[in-house]
Amino acid sequence: MAKAASKNAKIKDAKAAAESKNWTKVIRAVRSPKSGAYTFKEQIVHKDKVKDYLAQK
């Protein structure tokens, strides 16, 4: 039989899920100065700072 989850575990998971929704994975194309080829940089950024991250070079 399956084990029933406790109420505390459900509350803890809900809080963690709510906090994790504030983060975004940003993928950005960066051009190599030598070859001109593009590479992709991935980073997890808070949703309030996405525009700042994309604005920097």
Side-chain angles (χ1 to χ4, degrees), residues 5-19:
S6 68
K7 286 185 179 181
N8 292 337
K10 287 181 184 180
I11 292 170
K12 191 174 186 180
D13 292 340
K15 288 180 182 178
E19 285 184 20

Side-chain angles (χ1 to χ4, degrees), residues 43-56:
Q43 189 167 1
I44 296 177
V45 181
H46 194 270
K47 69 179 183 179
D48 296 336
K49 298 183 180 182
V50 170
K51 288 185 181 180
D52 296 335
Y53 175 74
L54 293 174
Q56 60 177 282

